[in-house]
Amino acid sequence: RMLELDIAICTYGADGPSRVAMMLLPPEEGVRYVVSWQEHGDAVLPEILKDRKDVAVFRLDKKGLSNNRNNAIANCTGDIVLISDDDLEYYPEGIVRIRRAFEDDPCLDVATFRVGFPTPKPYPQDGAKLGVPLPKGYWVTSMEMAFRRDRIGNLRFDPMLGLGAPEMCCGEEELFMVSAIRRGLTARHIGVEICRHPAVTTGGRVSEGILMGQGCVTRVIYPYSGWLRIVLKAWRLHREGKAGFFVSLKWLIRGMFRVRQLSL
């Protein structure tokens, strides 16, 4: 049989399911949409979602995007889980290629794919094996990630990182990938564009929460050279006019001291 694919979608707000409904492809055997819904306010599901047997919606009262993703993963039953947001435009052939990538390579545990962003993003070469650290210039976004559900064990997105987290509003995706690789899972980049994303990601933005998240994850990936790397990062932000050197350094350092709060 073909491997079953669950698309784990995170949404929020009363109109969240309506956004999900707009991104659904025609029903396909072995493909299911698992939706985790935050800030639902007891809103009623749109009829189109109620009528689709390949859609399952699970409400969540916890805050934080990482908790939302973890709730979606917990309710998945397919062989493969694809992490997703509620504002993507999937290509039918992209879904086929995701399933085929895992079927063709039984040793593949985690894969990243390509997403069409408004601003082009650098990606590794097709088939490149991902290690720690990740290839230079490449950062992982969650909607690119797929994995075999039965091989990740208890690995989840850390609730202390990501949008809606108490302090650090980024870094959960990179930490997930790095943790998977350090657990011995085989990860590769598959050079296939699977969907289009209309909005700009947070990758190039600067805020206190983003800097703290970056500092924290830098400490995890580079336990010995992390301090030198954050000084260099603060200098680059200053040179590019994005933030002051000492202000950036302060928040990066604060993030480094939050490593003990992570669920590593």
Side-chain angles (χ1 to χ4, degrees):
R1 70 177 178 85
M2 285 191 67
L3 295 176
E4 295 180 350
L5 172 66
D6 281 353
I7 302 177
I9 303 174
C10 289
T11 193
Y12 65 94
D15 59 343
S18 297
R19 294 193 297 273
V20 173
M22 293 178 63
M23 61 181 282
L24 299 180
L25 294 173
E28 180 180 348
E29 184 177 355
V31 177
R32 192 171 72 121
Y33 300 87
V34 180
V35 183
S36 181
W37 185 14
Q38 287 176 320
E39 301 178 22
H40 48 79
D42 297 325
V44 178
L45 278 177
E47 291 299 323
I48 186 173
L49 294 188
K50 291 181 180 179
D51 295 339
R52 290 279 296 252
K53 295 181 180 180
D54 58 343
V55 176
V57 180
F58 301 90
R59 299 173 189 252
L60 180 67
D61 292 325
K62 286 184 179 180
K63 295 183 178 180
L65 180 56
S66 287
N67 283 321
N68 213 13
R69 296 205 189 286
N70 292 340
N71 186 52
I73 294 171
N75 286 287
C76 288
T77 59
D79 303 299
I80 310 163
V81 175
L82 173 67
I83 303 299
S84 179
D85 287 336
D86 62 3
D87 57 352
L88 304 177
E89 179 185 331
Y90 281 108
Y91 310 138
E93 63 273 18
I95 299 301
V96 172
R97 293 294 297 275
I98 293 170
R99 300 171 77 182
R100 186 181 300 163
F102 284 91
E103 288 178 353
D104 291 346
D105 186 357
C107 294
L108 181 62
D109 301 315
V110 183
T112 64
F113 297 86
R114 300 192 178 198
V115 173
F117 293 104
T119 302
K121 173 184 172 180
Y123 283 103
Q125 292 184 341
D126 181 23
K129 186 173 182 179
L130 302 179
V132 180
L134 295 172
K136 187 175 181 179
Y138 174 54
W139 67 93
V140 178
T141 52
S142 53
M143 65 200 73
E144 301 167 355
M145 299 169 52
F147 51 81
R148 293 186 194 268
R149 185 177 57 86
D150 63 349
R151 294 189 189 172
I152 64 165
N154 63 352
L155 180 60
R156 295 294 185 269
F157 291 92
D158 198 300
M160 298 304 296
L161 297 169
L163 293 175
E167 293 182 300
M168 301 178 286
C169 59
C170 73
E172 78 281 9
E173 300 143 322
E174 191 167 12
L175 182 63
F176 184 99
M177 179 62 69
V178 167
S179 298
I181 295 169
R182 284 182 171 165
R183 290 185 180 200
L185 300 183
T186 298
R188 292 190 182 277
H189 175 71
I190 310 299
V192 174
E193 187 170 301
I194 59 173
C195 66
R196 187 179 71 86
H197 188 280
V200 177
T201 66
T202 59
R205 301 173 191 169
V206 177
S207 69
E208 295 174 0
I210 287 176
L211 289 172
M212 286 185 68
Q214 291 174 343
C216 183
V217 174
T218 296
R219 180 71 181 275
V220 173
I221 299 175
Y222 305 99
Y224 302 109
S225 64
W227 291 100
L228 293 175
R229 290 176 181 275
I230 66 164
V231 171
L232 180 59
K233 181 172 183 61
W235 169 249
R236 286 175 175 167
L237 290 172
H238 169 70
R239 185 180 61 187
E240 295 167 3
K242 295 182 178 179
F245 173 77
F246 290 106
V247 172
S248 300
L249 190 60
K250 177 180 73 172
W251 293 108
L252 287 165
I253 290 174
R254 285 194 182 185
M256 294 186 82
F257 280 102
R258 298 296 192 274
V259 168
R260 292 183 179 180
Q261 297 179 6
L262 302 180
S263 305
L264 298 174

